[in-house]
């Protein structure tokens, strides 16, 4: 895609995000329908479904040939990364949405033949967006983001999955102890925003494709390190560990886990 097409794509999705901010702000004032999925801690609401349906309808109009991989199942059954694929996580951090009405995000990412084209993560209540791609640059709202200082784990905050830490998945407690501090935000999107804007040096979790597609795309575009702690490349269509970090924090974490960086 040339710059004009990327610009049009960005402007279009930013308009959708404005409308989603508005829609979710209205819905939080109303009574929500809350259901559970795989466990009592895995929540979904009518708003998750409504936002995903909004995305699917608008993506189909804008990019009819593309496939959509959405968390709530309104998209397509995506089996390969060939062609254009949109990843959609309508509300990321649904528990925070339900319990705090804050600290939740919406995430969209567009890949072509397995490579990121553009991605967007919005802190919905703050209406704060990080957006961009490898040939476009990465922006924090209107401001171009620069790769922040290369700070190591001992001097930086690390964002981690609370469940992985609580159940002591190998590596997670060691990483939390080695960092100057650790944070559990309860939303992959919010965690990515902290790393992308230089407030945290790393985010590690084990997640599903829609949880990491936008974060991986934006982190790569900005020049952060992206990988897994399983010594396998990130597979965009399956769940797995995903580590996004500054160069130094990435090397520190791999060394701590005795893995190749
Ligand atoms: C979840 C959140 C959470 C992360 C889980 C995700 P959801 O997303 O991002 O922080 O630890 O792995 O599934 O279900 O609220 O969209
Ligand atoms: Ca979600
Ligand atoms: Ca999610």
């Amino acid at each position: 895609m040339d710059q004009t097409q990327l610009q049009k794509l960005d402007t279009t999705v930013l308009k959708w995000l404005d409308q989603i901010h508005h829609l979710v702000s209205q819905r939080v004032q109303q009574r929500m329908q809350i259901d559970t999925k795989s466990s009592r801690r895995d929540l979904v609401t009518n708003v998750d479904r409504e936002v995903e349906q909004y995305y699917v309808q608008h993506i189909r109009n804008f990019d009819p040939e593309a496939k959509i991989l959405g968390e709530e199942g309104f998209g397509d059954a995506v089996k390969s990364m060939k062609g254009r694929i949109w990843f959609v996580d309508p509300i990321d951090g649904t528990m925070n949405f339900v319990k705090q009405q804050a600290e939740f995000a919406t995430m969209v990412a567009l890949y072509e033949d397995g490579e990121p084209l553009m991605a967007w993560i919005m802190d919905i209540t703050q209406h704060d967006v990080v957006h961009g791609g490898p040939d476009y640059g990465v922006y924090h709202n209107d401001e171009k983001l620069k790769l922040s200082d290369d700070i190591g784990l001992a001097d930086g905050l690390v964002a981690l999955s609370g469940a992985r830490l609580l159940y002591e998945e190998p590596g997670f407690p060691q990483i939390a102890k080695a960092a100057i501090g650790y944070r559990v935000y309860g939303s992959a999107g919010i965690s990515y925003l902290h790393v992308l804007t230089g407030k945290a040096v790393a985010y590690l979790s084990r997640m599903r494709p829609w949880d990491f597609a936008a974060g991986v795309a934006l982190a790569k575009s900005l020049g952060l390190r992206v990988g897994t702690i399983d010594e396998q490349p990130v597979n965009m269509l399956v769940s797995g560990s995903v580590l996004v970090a500054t160069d130094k924090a990435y090397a520190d974490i791999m060394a701590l886990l005795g893995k190749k960086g």
Side-chain angles (χ1 to χ4, degrees):
M1 272 191 196
D2 63 27
Q3 284 304 313
T4 317
Q5 289 167 312
L6 290 173
Q7 178 76 58
K8 183 180 170 218
L9 176 62
D10 192 32
T11 310
T12 302
V13 178
L14 288 173
K15 273 193 201 133
W16 301 347
L17 296 185
D18 284 350
Q19 290 180 22
I20 287 167
H21 166 77
H22 187 69
L23 184 141
V24 175
S25 310
Q26 283 182 328
R27 293 293 179 267
V28 287
Q29 326 262 5
Q30 300 164 357
R31 199 184 170 81
M32 264 188 264
Q33 189 195 323
I34 304 163
D35 300 309
T36 55
K37 295 199 281 189
S38 59
S39 73
R40 72 182 185 96
R41 289 180 171 161
D42 184 10
L43 305 181
V44 61
T45 73
N46 57 305
V47 187
D48 297 60
R49 295 193 194 96
E50 187 177 353
V51 173
E52 182 160 313
Q53 283 169 302
Y54 175 95
Y55 277 124
V56 168
Q57 188 196 327
H58 286 79
I59 293 169
R60 299 255 193 249
N61 282 334
F62 179 75
D63 190 5
E65 278 159 30
K67 289 225 157 67
I68 304 169
L69 181 53
E71 178 174 13
E72 310 309 340
F74 296 101
D76 305 299
V78 177
K79 300 253 158 42
S80 108
M81 286 299 289
K82 265 200 154 333
R84 276 196 305 283
I85 316 281
W86 289 80
F87 291 83
V88 172
D89 189 342
I91 304 273
D92 175 69
T94 301
M95 183 65 82
N96 288 355
F97 173 56
V98 169
K99 296 294 180 191
Q100 309 183 148
Q101 294 85 52
E103 305 282 338
F104 57 95
T106 186
M107 301 196 276
V108 202
L110 175 59
Y111 283 66
E112 189 163 46
D113 295 328
E115 293 301 322
L117 272 184
M118 288 285 281
W120 299 259
I121 301 178
M122 174 169 70
D123 175 330
I124 299 185
T125 42
Q126 299 299 312
H127 202 172
D128 195 28
V129 189
V130 172
H131 53 117
D135 298 327
Y136 187 78
V138 180
Y139 291 81
H140 183 194
N141 302 314
D142 294 333
E143 200 178 305
K144 188 149 190 188
L145 270 180
K146 287 197 311 262
L147 184 60
S148 39
D149 294 345
D150 188 13
I151 295 170
L153 191 61
D155 299 311
L157 293 176
V158 63
L160 292 166
S161 146
R164 305 285 158 191
L165 203 50
L166 180 63
Y167 297 109
E168 298 181 5
E169 173 162 336
F172 283 72
Q174 293 91 316
I175 295 166
K177 284 175 191 158
I180 200 158
Y182 66 93
R183 297 289 181 269
V184 172
Y185 292 111
S187 156
I190 298 294
S191 307
Y192 283 128
L193 289 178
H194 281 89
V195 181
L196 292 163
T197 56
K199 292 176 187 155
V201 294
Y203 173 51
L204 174 64
S205 187
R206 200 170 277 284
M207 295 176 284
R208 290 162 302 171
W210 45 81
D211 295 313
F212 61 74
V216 162
L218 290 164
K220 279 187 178 168
S221 305
L222 194 57
L224 289 159
R225 284 288 301 270
V226 175
T228 72
I229 58 167
D230 309 318
E231 284 164 304
Q232 302 286 331
V234 175
N235 182 331
M236 292 309 303
L237 294 175
V238 298
S239 301
S241 74
V242 179
L243 171 61
V244 163
T246 62
D247 282 348
K248 278 191 182 154
Y250 194 96
D252 292 340
I253 289 171
M254 290 314 220
L256 197 63
L257 303 181
K259 311 243 164 151
K260 286 200 294 280

